[in-house]
Amino acid sequence: MEVDTEVFADLKKHILDHHFCTEEELERNIRVMKAHRCNDEMIRQVLSTYRHYDRPANVPGTIYVDPDPESKKASLFSDCLLNTLIGAATIYEGDKSVGKNMCAETVAMVRNQPYYMISFNRSMTADDVYGSKSTDNSASRMLTPEMAECYLEVMNGTVNPEAYKAAAEFEYLRAKAASVAIVQEQSCLVEWLRNGGVMCFNEMNMAEANFFSSFANQITDGSGFLDIPGYGRITINPDCILIGTQNADYTGVCEQNDATLSRFGCIQFNYPKSIEKQLKAVVGEDRLDQRYFSQTDQFYQSLLAAVHNGQVENSCLNIRGFCRALNATAQVPGATTLADQIRIHVINTCPIDDRIALTAQLNEKITL
């Protein structure tokens, strides 16, 4: 897609003059937003937020692809981007491999911001979020035999000035080594709060509700600060963008409390009707003949229909698995078949009761 950056000429000049990013990065970001049907005003507002950060801007391994490019409605990505402009904390909710985290990373890229992520589970503690404490014994490591010799010389009455200097340092380090210094290790949460960027609370509903609300509620309540043990009060950078990702009904998830959820918006990520563009973006469309992508997409679409009809579980809609199957097929030409790799990476990961029906569809749709 050609990008007419003259529409944003003044902003472009401002961004490049201040070295917020390179011209190639700027045009890439505009191109991505245009591909997701973001209008010029939205793009202008996004570009107006560009500034310098302590970390470089995030560049995902694979840029998020619009799952429904023919739609006349606002794209999923533009909805995600719009919510960052109003500073709203937003949950990206959906099944596995529908692009939630990829979208979050792409949002960080087009906003020219660094990207942070914390993955949650039931057993997490405050140290996992705020950073752990450790003891500092660096002083003892700095003590040397030579310094000890100088110290003994001074104790025995030497008048050597160099020995006095080394002995004084030895006495200081020995005293310091005898005490316990507690050091607070900075976590990515603290770095994000101080410097700004996009934070992804990955699988946020895997965290125990009271634990999660203990910090998430204050981050999102508009107070502008967070009190953290070991740090004190931290002012929240206004450029902090918070995204949570979660699967709604998976085993082991925790129901978050109403007070927490009221602070987030929620954008639903559904299985796309077609995955051909996603497959090409992840695998690389030049690595395989077009037939490989077409047949894989046709097989996926037949599985999607079977899921909607209640014939098989949705575990077969494993887009990551299809990407791995195509990558394996492309890695060593002629070493395997697409059908074998889909069996390994998709069908064999599904419930046993579904595998016979899935194999029958595989044999019908995949000839490569």
Side-chain angles (χ1 to χ4, degrees), residues 86-107:
I86 65 170
T90 310
I91 299 169
Y92 296 176
E93 184 177 271
D95 280 301
K96 64 184 184 304
S97 70
V98 292
K100 303 183 295 294
N101 292 84
M102 191 185 298
C103 182
E105 287 192 71
T106 305
V107 165

Side-chain angles (χ1 to χ4, degrees), residues 35-295:
H36 287 277
R37 307 192 298 282
C38 299
N39 63 29
D40 285 352
E41 176 58 19
M42 182 180 292
I43 296 173
R44 185 193 67 77
Q45 290 190 31
V46 170
L47 299 183
S48 297
T49 67
Y50 279 26
R51 69 169 180 85
H52 289 294
Y53 293 87
D54 289 349
R55 277 194 184 190
N58 177 73
V59 180
T62 303
I63 294 173
Y64 181 69
V65 175
D66 189 351
D68 193 8
E70 305 303 321
S71 174
K72 302 301 180 184
K73 300 193 303 181
S75 72
L76 201 63
F77 183 80
S78 67
D79 279 341
C80 295
L81 200 55
L82 176 62
N83 277 274
T84 70
L85 292 173
I86 65 170
T90 310
I91 299 169
Y92 296 176
E93 184 177 271
D95 280 301
K96 64 184 184 304
S97 70
V98 292
K100 303 183 295 294
N101 292 84
M102 191 185 298
C103 182
E105 287 192 71
T106 305
V107 165
M109 182 191 77
V110 302
R111 286 184 56 92
N112 199 45
Q113 291 184 303
Y115 181 76
Y116 303 87
M117 185 170 71
I118 300 174
S119 294
F120 287 89
N121 59 68
R122 283 178 178 269
S123 61
M124 288 184 76
T125 66
D127 284 351
D128 296 318
V129 176
Y130 299 139
S132 60
K133 295 178 177 65
S134 61
T135 56
D136 180 7
N137 64 349
S138 57
S140 64
R141 293 196 298 270
M142 296 170 66
L143 294 168
T144 66
E146 291 76 17
M147 293 168 65
E149 288 179 10
C150 291
Y151 178 78
L152 291 175
E153 286 181 21
V154 171
M155 292 297 98
N156 291 327
T158 184
V159 293
N160 182 354
E162 291 300 321
Y164 274 107
K165 182 178 179 181
E169 186 176 5
F170 177 82
E171 183 68 13
Y172 168 75
L173 291 174
R174 187 172 67 164
K176 189 174 181 181
S179 63
V180 177
I182 305 299
V183 179
Q184 178 77 45
E185 303 292 339
Q186 179 166 297
S187 70
C188 69
L189 177 74
V190 174
E191 183 180 342
W192 168 68
L193 290 171
R194 286 175 168 165
N195 301 321
V198 173
M199 167 62 78
C200 177
F201 282 173
N202 186 42
E203 307 292 1
M204 57 177 273
N205 61 345
M206 293 296 289
E208 194 276 327
N210 290 336
F211 168 70
F212 186 79
S213 65
S214 67
F215 55 88
N217 287 12
Q218 191 175 351
I219 290 173
T220 54
D221 68 3
S223 64
F225 66 88
L226 181 65
D227 291 315
I228 300 179
Y231 291 99
R233 178 162 295 188
I234 293 180
T235 300
I236 300 174
N237 192 299
D239 289 333
C240 284
I241 301 298
L242 177 57
I243 296 170
T245 63
Q246 65 181 31
N247 302 305
D249 301 316
Y250 280 23
T251 302
V253 300
C254 302
E255 184 176 354
Q256 301 298 328
N257 65 50
D258 290 345
T260 300
L261 293 180
S262 69
R263 290 165 161 81
F264 287 82
C266 184
I267 295 177
Q268 188 69 40
F269 282 63
N270 298 313
Y271 283 112
K273 298 175 183 177
S274 167
I275 61 171
E276 185 168 334
K277 287 188 176 181
Q278 286 94 322
L279 296 175
K280 289 180 177 179
V282 174
V283 178
E285 61 182 314
D286 296 332
R287 296 182 66 207
L288 288 166
D289 185 86
Q290 170 62 33
R291 295 174 301 155
Y292 287 84
F293 298 105
S294 298
Q295 287 196 18

Side-chain angles (χ1 to χ4, degrees), residues 95-97 250 271 300 303 307 312-322 324 345-352 354-355 358:
D95 280 301
K96 64 184 184 304
S97 70
Y250 280 23
Y271 283 112
Y300 165 83
L303 298 184
V307 169
V312 293
E313 298 292 329
N314 67 0
S315 55
C316 64
L317 302 176
N318 184 354
I319 302 173
R320 293 192 190 102
F322 286 116
R324 290 195 300 271
H345 292 286
V346 178
I347 293 178
N348 290 352
T349 66
C350 295
I352 293 176
D354 287 346
R355 294 183 191 179
L358 294 172

